[in-house]
Amino acid sequence: MLSAALTCVVAPFAEEFLFRGFIFTALRNWRGVLPAALITGLLFGAVHAGSAPAVDLVPLAALGFGLCLLYRATGSLYPCVAAHCVNNTIAFGSLEEWGLWQVAVLMASALAVLTVTAIVLTQLGIASRERSVA
């Protein structure tokens, strides 16, 4: 259970704040959207080198690039966290050789925890409902 929680809840939340919220935003302000998304995507793929098979690093970099564009389009990290959660849940379920129903339960649970977390952070004033100016 702890491994599933770390993979499907904690990692998407933490990695999106680091990669899209901090790195992509800083690079975007310095070099523009596409170079920033490319560099951030490559970094995102590279950071998974120790935990993912080499064959998965290019698709992970592409995912990182796409999540940057999603963040740019929505102005919010929440859709990125949700998409990251869905990706990690499918990957986790596949590695564990789980059935579809098990993956669906994990995905629903992880997304529910992330939603509650977003609501709490918004209520506490730590996060904002407003779109950021990108």
Side-chain angles (χ1 to χ4, degrees), residues 26-27 43 86-87 118 126:
L27 291 173
L43 289 172
V86 168
N87 177 77
I126 296 169

Side-chain angles (χ1 to χ4, degrees), residues 48-117:
H48 289 88
S51 62
V55 69
D56 292 342
L57 298 181
V58 170
L60 282 166
L63 174 66
F65 178 83
L67 289 171
C68 289
L69 298 182
L70 178 61
Y71 177 50
R72 173 71 170 113
T74 64
S76 174
L77 287 174
Y78 295 131
C80 301
V81 172
H84 196 145
C85 171
V86 168
N87 177 77
N88 284 14
T89 301
I90 293 168
F92 185 86
S94 175
L95 289 172
E96 295 296 319
E97 298 180 358
W98 283 6
L100 184 59
W101 74 270
Q102 293 165 307
V103 173
V105 168
L106 175 59
M107 189 176 302
S109 301
L111 288 170
V113 169
L114 289 169
T115 300
V116 169
T117 302

Side-chain angles (χ1 to χ4, degrees), residues 113-132:
V113 169
L114 289 169
T115 300
V116 169
T117 302
I119 291 168
V120 168
L121 291 175
T122 301
Q123 292 297 319
L124 293 174
I126 296 169
S128 173
R129 288 187 186 132
E130 298 177 24
R131 282 185 60 162
S132 65

